[in-house]
Amino acid sequence: MDIVAGVLSGSRLALSRGITYVENEYDEAVDIMRKLYPHTGNAYVIGITGPPGAGKSTLTDKLAKEYRKQGKLVGIVAVDPTSPYTGGAILGDRIRMMDLTMDEGVFIRSMATRGSLGGLSQKTADVVKLMDAFGMDIIIIETVGVGQSEVDIVKTADTTMVVMVPGLGDDIQAIKAGILEIGDLFTINKADRDGVDKLNIELEMMLELNPKGVDWRPPINRTIAEKGEGVVEVVNSIEAHAAYLRESGELAVRRKDRLKSELFTMVNDRIVRYIAKQVLEAEGFEETLVNLQNRVIDPYTVVNKIVSDVLK
Amino acid sequence: MEKRIRVLVAKPGLDGHDRGAKVVARALRDAGFEVIYTGIRLTPEQIVAASVQEDVNVVALSLLSGAHNTLFPKVVEQLKEKGLNDILVIGGGVIPDADIPFLKEHGVAEVFTPGTPTTKIVDFIKENVK
């Protein structure tokens, strides 16, 4: 199968296979991405993050339907965690999106984190590019259910939405560093529950202190995603943020930053893999480990030696 | 990175009994597979469309309503129509022994009935996945 030609001509099978190549790091993957890169940069990328059970999948489903009403093509990347013990995963986000499965204008791919800790899979950015080259107008990335510090989504999305639900914690949570800092917009889902006003006030107070020091004030929307309530308002907020990014020139700045960080990650991966191979295959590595264990040598000396050997 | 076996677990037809499917999904997860769990009351068309998007190696169908002779072959047929010839299709649920040869003739690689140890399913997938 010619994956590049297939992706560019709208073959869903080619897109699907291409994602597998990238995820599994098959040898052909780099060449595929190299050829598709010139065809990327057209999709608008929306990141949806929040704690487990906040309603990210349901909200993603409703947002996608809203964009479909506008005639836009929608790609969805839904990430769930990989077991640190077995490497297996249950990817269950599709359950909330089965209506979309038969829609030829939507492509949903579930991904496991495969060891990555930032709330995404390491390959998410490449999968987004594949969907972009395929011709998707909107790409929604749903992160794993996050705690406080999984903030990789900002390195991949144009607009990041943090989904909250009432009743999770007191007001000190709202002033901690982490995911609450990364929202371009906030959505309080399950807004028919107790505590919604309190959460709203806490978020308002946090935003009042404006940690980013920019002109955009993240709006707070309320939704009951299961019933579809408030979804149109969320789409309007996303569109308003997109317009702000474009008009202020911030979009170009963000995308450039993103490219820089992606580039560094790629270089980093390549170097780490190279060094790891050198180190693991080096003669006497086992002996070094034993010596470390017996406190004959110290790890700092070993690191110095490894690095100076590699850089020679 | 080594290849991960991806399995779509689905329940076709009008049957809401998903305990078995969930137990199998969990066992497959523990075997190191990536399991795409799609839930209950699906049409063969939905299962096939999801398989296309997820590029799975295995489709595991669970059914307790008695409609397996209709629905399982339909899934196999439609996967082939979409060009997904190398997907391993397996089935499970309350399926009479007498129906199993018919299902195998129609492309279901193996059928696992109640009481099957989950390790048997895992081993079968590992041995037969393409």
Side-chain angles (χ1 to χ4, degrees):
Chain A
M1 186 193 290
D2 184 342
I3 288 177
V4 173
V7 167
L8 295 177
S9 64
S11 157
R12 294 165 80 78
L13 218 49
L15 173 59
S16 186
R17 201 50 57 87
I19 294 173
T20 303
Y21 277 41
V22 162
E23 248 202 313
N24 290 352
E25 297 182 332
Y26 291 165
D27 295 338
E28 301 92 325
V30 172
D31 198 46
I32 291 169
M33 292 313 297
R34 201 182 281 154
K35 286 178 182 151
L36 288 176
Y37 187 76
H39 302 276
T40 61
N42 304 310
Y44 195 81
V45 184
I46 301 164
I48 300 187
T49 192
K56 295 182 294 300
S57 300
T58 308
L59 213 49
T60 300
D61 175 64
K62 303 292 186 221
L63 287 176
K65 281 175 183 154
E66 214 43 53
Y67 279 113
R68 288 298 293 142
K69 280 188 204 159
Q70 300 176 11
K72 293 190 169 132
L73 302 177
V74 182
I76 298 172
V77 184
V79 189
D80 267 328
T82 293
S83 159
Y85 299 111
T86 66
I90 300 268
L91 312 176
D93 295 323
R94 277 195 96 90
I95 300 175
R96 324 263 176 241
M97 308 178 197
M98 280 320 283
D99 293 351
L100 294 173
T101 296
M102 298 305 294
D103 184 341
E104 293 275 318
V106 177
F107 192 102
I108 307 168
R109 182 63 171 243
S110 313
M111 294 182 83
T113 53
R114 298 194 179 179
S116 174
L117 295 175
L120 295 178
S121 152
Q122 228 185 33
K123 298 294 171 190
T124 308
D126 279 347
V127 174
V128 166
K129 285 196 202 83
L130 278 159
M131 289 187 172
D132 188 347
F134 182 78
M136 294 308 187
D137 302 303
I138 301 287
I139 296 168
I140 304 175
I141 305 169
E142 183 195 332
T143 73
V144 304
V146 300
Q148 296 176 316
S149 63
E150 297 92 334
V151 295
D152 278 359
I153 187 67
V154 282
K155 293 186 224 149
T156 314
D158 294 317
T159 293
T160 298
M161 175 165 97
V162 176
V163 184
M164 307 284 291
V165 280
L168 285 185
D170 62 14
D171 51 0
I172 198 70
Q173 301 300 335
I175 57 171
K176 286 186 184 171
I179 68 157
L180 287 179
E181 285 179 281
I182 65 172
D184 297 308
L185 42 138
F186 291 87
T187 297
I188 303 177
N189 191 34
K190 308 189 187 182
D192 48 351
R193 290 193 174 178
D194 282 349
V196 61
D197 290 328
K198 187 165 168 278
L199 176 57
N200 208 136
I201 291 167
E202 284 161 11
L203 287 174
E204 287 287 358
M205 280 176 62
M206 173 199 79
L207 294 172
E208 197 58 44
L209 301 170
N210 197 2
K212 282 182 185 164
V214 288
D215 302 331
W216 172 260
R217 162 83 180 223
I220 301 169
N221 288 294
R222 294 184 183 192
T223 55
I224 306 171
E226 221 168 1
K227 298 182 188 162
E229 285 175 31
V231 176
V232 175
E233 288 78 0
V234 172
V235 171
N236 292 340
S237 290
I238 294 170
E239 292 309 302
H241 185 245
Y244 159 76
L245 289 180
R246 287 199 179 99
E247 281 154 24
S248 63
E250 176 83 7
L251 186 63
V253 174
R254 278 192 182 196
R255 288 185 168 179
K256 203 170 157 192
D257 279 351
R258 197 193 302 163
L259 285 173
K260 187 173 150 192
S261 119
E262 261 182 63
L263 211 58
F264 267 88
T265 309
M266 283 156 83
V267 170
N268 202 38
D269 284 353
R270 183 79 70 86
I271 292 175
V272 166
R273 215 173 302 169
Y274 173 77
I275 296 178
K277 195 163 175 272
Q278 301 275 310
V279 172
L280 290 174
E281 286 174 2
E283 224 171 297
F285 182 64
E286 259 312 303
E287 198 190 325
T288 308
L289 279 185
V290 174
N291 285 337
L292 277 172
Q293 203 165 14
N294 294 333
R295 303 307 192 260
V296 177
I297 46 168
D298 67 90
Y300 315 97
T301 310
V302 177
V303 168
N304 276 338
K305 187 178 176 321
I306 288 171
V307 172
S308 60
D309 278 358
V310 169
L311 294 180
K312 223 167 14 198
Chain B
M1 188 177 287
E2 101 246 48
K3 174 183 166 171
R4 297 279 166 93
I5 296 174
R6 284 168 70 86
V7 186
L8 187 95
V9 174
K11 285 189 61 66
L14 299 173
D15 147 30
H17 301 276
D18 59 358
R19 182 65 52 90
K22 281 178 178 157
V23 169
V24 170
R26 170 65 201 263
L28 299 181
R29 186 204 91 176
D30 290 342
F33 302 165
E34 289 182 356
V35 181
I36 295 100
Y37 189 77
T38 50
I40 56 173
R41 300 198 183 95
L42 304 177
T43 62
E45 287 80 6
Q46 284 177 315
I47 292 169
V48 171
S51 304
V52 169
Q53 295 171 33
E54 299 290 357
D55 197 19
V56 290
N57 311 101
V58 182
V59 171
L61 302 169
S62 162
L63 203 147
L64 290 84
S65 73
H68 45 267
N69 280 351
T70 313
L71 293 170
F72 286 6
K74 262 195 185 169
V75 171
V76 175
E77 226 170 85
Q78 291 182 19
L79 284 172
K80 292 215 168 99
E81 274 167 30
K82 290 276 181 193
L84 298 169
N85 298 308
D86 49 0
I87 291 184
L88 182 72
V89 179
I90 56 175
V94 279
I95 291 163
D97 289 345
D99 290 348
I100 293 176
F102 172 83
L103 292 173
K104 286 191 173 173
E105 269 167 44
H106 287 81
V108 180
E110 191 54 273
V111 176
F112 301 96
T113 50
T116 308
T118 52
T119 48
K120 207 176 147 194
I121 305 174
V122 169
D123 292 342
F124 183 84
I125 290 175
K126 281 184 180 163
E127 278 160 28
N128 292 280
V129 76
K130 282 156 218 165

